Amino acid sequence: MRDTGEIPAWMKRLAVIGCFVALIPPLLAARARVTRSDSPRIHLVPDMDNQKKFKAQSANPLFADGRAMRPQVGGTIARGQLVTNGHLTTGLVDGAYAKTFPMPVTRALLDRGRTQYGVYCAVCHGVSGYGDGPVARRADQLMLAGKALWVPPTSYHTGDPLTREVGHLFNTITNGIRTMPAYGDQISTEDRWAIVAYVKALQRSQGASIDDVPEAERRQLEQRRASDRKAQENEK
Ligand code: HEC
């Protein structure tokens, strides 16, 4: 064959095919990025990430009843669920809401209550307990209350909540109240009491008078108040 300096036709064809074939992997990758799949990702080295197991509610031929989930064994109590103290676990004393705590109210209990209040309650009731948490504010934005689709979270600082017994508060958290859901399954018994203590502290903090401040710190507070007032006047 004479060398004409032209690229042979078969080589051109091969180059075109090669270009198309080279597009396949990026196209597959692009597709994988926008589609969803329920199967596990491809593992070249599995590292025991996926193992055979029985999932909740599935069948298991090993047991006579064919259930993978085993029922509770009769006559046994799950760890941490033993009721030995009605005051502690129900908030009731002689059938009435307890007016006292079943444990000493310590700084540690209040700190724990503050943390757990922030986790479970503040979303609706707000960090200061005025019923103005982000969920409530969002519902206001959507005007759900006006459409009777939403009952606003109660403020702790007016009306009934001010006079409720601590046992009543404990019961509210445990079993819910009216439209408020129950949190007994999610928050441990001790933590529920810690939250009660913290809610009481919140109420106290918002309804405090100068007489609640220890004598020694009162002067300092009044001095600060005076200097704040002066600063405000200077601004005018
Ligand atoms: C999903 C939002 C939501 C969360 C979270 C929530 N609450 Fe409430 N709470 C409400 C609503 C709504 C009401 C008013 C219910 C009604 O009147 O129907 C209420 C009412 C109350 C009341 C007044 C009960 C009374 O005596 O009338 C208390 C006290 C209270 N909640 C405490 C708590 C505490 C403590 C937590 C955290 C463990 C909590 N709530 C978490 C929505 C919530």
Side-chain angles (χ1 to χ4, degrees), residues 179-201:
T179 50
M180 181 184 135
Y183 287 89
D185 288 344
Q186 294 175 53
I187 311 175
S188 75
T189 309
E190 281 73 15
D191 281 356
R192 271 175 270 146
W193 280 111
I195 292 174
V196 171
Y198 184 66
V199 168
K200 283 278 146 203

Side-chain angles (χ1 to χ4, degrees), residues 122-136:
V123 281
C124 287
H125 287 276
V127 276
S128 309
Y130 284 98
D132 56 353
V135 171

Side-chain angles (χ1 to χ4, degrees):
M1 200 160 69
R2 205 159 45 102
D3 183 5
T4 59
E6 258 187 36
I7 300 168
W10 65 269
M11 219 186 251
K12 283 188 192 165
R13 245 175 268 138
L14 198 68
V16 171
I17 292 170
C19 285
F20 278 111
V21 172
L23 280 177
I24 293 174
L27 281 177
L28 282 179
R31 180 172 165 270
R33 289 181 71 93
V34 295
T35 52
R36 287 181 61 90
S37 164
D38 288 333
S39 45
R41 62 173 67 198
I42 299 165
H43 269 53
L44 295 182
V45 184
D47 284 340
M48 294 172 74
D49 281 351
N50 300 299
Q51 298 169 52
K52 278 197 182 296
K53 60 179 167 285
F54 291 103
K55 294 204 169 154
Q57 312 287 354
S58 63
N60 182 344
L62 183 68
F63 298 106
D65 63 3
R67 290 191 282 178
M69 288 166 76
R70 306 312 305 146
Q72 285 183 343
V73 180
T76 62
I77 293 165
R79 198 176 276 218
Q81 287 184 354
L82 183 65
V83 179
T84 51
N85 180 332
H87 187 178
L88 177 73
T89 54
T90 62
L92 297 172
V93 173
D94 299 330
Y97 288 120
K99 292 187 167 66
T100 54
F101 286 82
M103 70 270 281
V105 178
T106 59
R107 176 82 211 196
L109 191 80
L110 283 170
D111 283 344
R112 178 72 186 162
R114 181 185 196 160
T115 312
Q116 296 306 89
Y117 178 85
V119 173
Y120 290 102
C121 321
V123 281
C124 287
H125 287 276
V127 276
S128 309
Y130 284 98
D132 56 353
V135 171
R137 272 185 275 137
R138 180 70 180 141
D140 282 346
Q141 265 176 12
L142 299 173
M143 293 193 295
L144 297 182
K147 295 174 198 148
L149 293 173
W150 165 256
V151 178
T154 314
S155 166
Y156 303 144
H157 307 302
T158 49
D160 285 344
L162 283 174
T163 51
R164 299 281 200 210
E165 303 85 352
V166 291
H168 189 283
L169 252 163
F170 179 82
N171 183 67
T172 297
I173 304 174
T174 310
N175 299 312
I177 189 165
R178 302 184 299 272
T179 50
M180 181 184 135
Y183 287 89
D185 288 344
Q186 294 175 53
I187 311 175
S188 75
T189 309
E190 281 73 15
D191 281 356
R192 271 175 270 146
W193 280 111
I195 292 174
V196 171
Y198 184 66
V199 168
K200 283 278 146 203
L202 267 185
Q203 290 179 329
R204 189 77 191 271
S205 76
Q206 299 303 301
S209 76
I210 193 72
D211 299 330
D212 292 317
V213 180
E215 192 81 50
E217 285 164 41
R218 222 177 275 176
R219 181 131 34 94
Q220 216 183 340
L221 199 70
E222 263 154 12
Q223 270 170 0
R224 201 176 322 147
R225 211 203 250 168
S227 73
D228 279 355
R229 210 176 292 142
K230 210 180 273 169
Q232 265 174 3
E233 269 162 22
N234 287 346
E235 261 174 37
K236 275 183 197 159

